[in-house]
């Protein structure tokens, strides 16, 4: 099936650093979602974006829905140990993220002590 | 918040066994649930869309006779992996829609290991 391209694949950072990751698609999506997955668990929704150009924050997380509707980025400021995990973007052709989701390839975040 | 529960969280069984995985929405009714499969260090791939009271819609390449889905109530969908073989070993995750205008909420997944 189709997948969204996420970059980088992995990141090794020190605590306190800012993080930036992005997601690109060859197709247009009407909803972009960002999830975090911890080992052995299901994805947890971080931010949902419903409008092209939209910039939304959730605490230290900020995400934007690209104007072309083919990309999105997620920034994490001042990383902390609990930010470790795998981050997935997901695109949905519907306007509410309530139909079939296409997931990105994931970005694995590791914090170096 | 919306809670989706999956059971069992882990199952190990012999080749040829059929395994049933349950997905429940605990504090809301879900007319639509989704089933995903995730291989190690890979992304989630949608297997099928489960609608309450009707047949599931399977994604291309997913065998409907292999992966039986039943959505008998507004709070429960089940995925049965029939005559499981080692290549069916994977992490299976369900999600449920809380309602119109709401994004999907995911369960904690079921790790299936076929010996």
């Amino acid at each position: 099936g189709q997948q969204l391209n996420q970059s980088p694949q992995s990141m090794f950072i020190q605590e306190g650093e800012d993080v930036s990751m992005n997601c690109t698609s060859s197709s247009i999506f009407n909803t972009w979602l960002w999830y975090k997955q911890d080992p052995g668990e299901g994805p947890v929704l971080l931010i949902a974006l419903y409008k092209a150009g939209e910039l939304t924050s959730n605490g230290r997380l900020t995400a934007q829905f690209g104007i072309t509707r083919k990309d999105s980025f997620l920034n994490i400021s001042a990383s902390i140990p609990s930010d470790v995990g795998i981050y997935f973007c997901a695109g949905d052709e519907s306007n509410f993220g309530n139909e079939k989701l296409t997931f990105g390839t994931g970005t694995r975040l590791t914090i170096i002590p | 918040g919306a809670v989706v529960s999956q059971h069992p969280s882990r199952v190990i069984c012999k080749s040829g066994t059929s395994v049933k995985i349950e997905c429940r929405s605990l504090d809301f009714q879900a007319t639509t649930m989704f089933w995903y499969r995730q291989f190690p260090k890979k992304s989630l791939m949608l297997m099928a869309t489960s609608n309450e009271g009707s047949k599931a819609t399977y994604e291309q390449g997913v065998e409907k006779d292999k992966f039986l889905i039943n959505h008998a109530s507004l709070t429960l969908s089940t995925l049965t992996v029939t005559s499981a073989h080692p290549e069916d070993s994977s992490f299976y995750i369900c999600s449920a829609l809380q309602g119109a205008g709401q994004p999907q909420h995911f369960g904690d997944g079921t790790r299936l290991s076929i010996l």
Side-chain angles (χ1 to χ4, degrees):
Chain A
Q2 180 187 4
Q3 280 191 335
L4 304 178
N5 294 314
Q6 246 178 282
S7 65
Q9 281 189 332
S10 58
M11 303 183 72
F12 296 85
I13 62 168
Q14 291 187 323
E15 184 177 348
E17 287 187 33
D18 296 342
V19 172
S20 183
M21 59 190 78
N22 64 56
C23 193
T24 59
S25 170
S26 57
S27 304
I28 289 174
F29 289 104
N30 290 319
T31 302
W32 283 87
L33 305 159
W34 284 92
Y35 289 89
K36 178 175 182 280
Q37 185 178 32
D38 291 328
E41 298 183 10
V44 174
L45 180 65
L46 299 175
I47 291 180
L49 302 159
Y50 300 107
K51 187 177 178 180
E54 179 182 355
L55 182 71
T56 297
S57 293
N58 179 8
R60 294 178 295 107
L61 278 61
T62 302
Q64 184 158 31
F65 189 152
I67 289 291
T68 65
R69 292 191 285 159
K70 292 183 177 182
D71 63 331
S72 177
F73 71 73
L74 174 71
N75 289 339
I76 305 173
S77 62
S79 58
I80 60 177
S82 62
D83 291 334
V84 168
I86 304 176
Y87 292 81
F88 288 102
C89 62
D92 187 351
E93 295 178 3
S94 77
N95 292 321
F96 302 108
N98 58 0
E99 294 186 7
K100 296 195 301 182
L101 293 181
T102 300
F103 276 83
T105 47
T107 295
R108 183 180 296 271
L109 179 63
T110 302
I111 293 183
I112 305 169
Chain B
V3 178
V4 176
S5 173
Q6 262 185 260
H7 179 80
S9 58
R10 186 180 185 99
V11 58
I12 303 171
C13 57
K14 294 181 179 180
S15 184
T17 307
S18 291
V19 179
K20 180 185 284 187
I21 302 170
E22 293 184 348
C23 180
R24 294 182 185 273
S25 55
L26 297 185
D27 50 358
F28 64 97
Q29 293 184 331
T31 55
T32 302
M33 293 183 175
F34 300 90
W35 287 95
Y36 295 83
R37 184 174 181 176
Q38 186 178 30
F39 290 106
K41 298 186 178 181
K42 297 294 184 181
S43 187
L44 283 77
M45 299 297 291
L46 180 66
M47 298 175 65
T49 302
S50 170
N51 293 300
E52 187 267 337
S54 64
K55 291 183 178 180
T57 302
Y58 290 83
E59 294 301 299
Q60 191 173 9
V62 178
E63 299 176 60
K64 62 180 180 181
D65 295 329
K66 175 73 171 178
F67 300 100
L68 300 179
I69 291 173
N70 184 282
H71 195 154
S73 78
L74 288 172
T75 60
L76 174 64
S77 175
T78 61
L79 168 68
T80 301
V81 184
T82 61
S83 187
H85 289 95
E87 58 266 28
D88 298 324
S89 299
S90 191
F91 194 50
Y92 293 88
I93 308 173
C94 72
S95 71
L97 285 180
Q98 187 175 4
Q102 300 290 328
Q104 299 175 32
H105 296 277
F106 285 81
D108 274 342
T110 296
R111 183 160 303 283
L112 175 62
S113 299
I114 307 297
L115 306 177

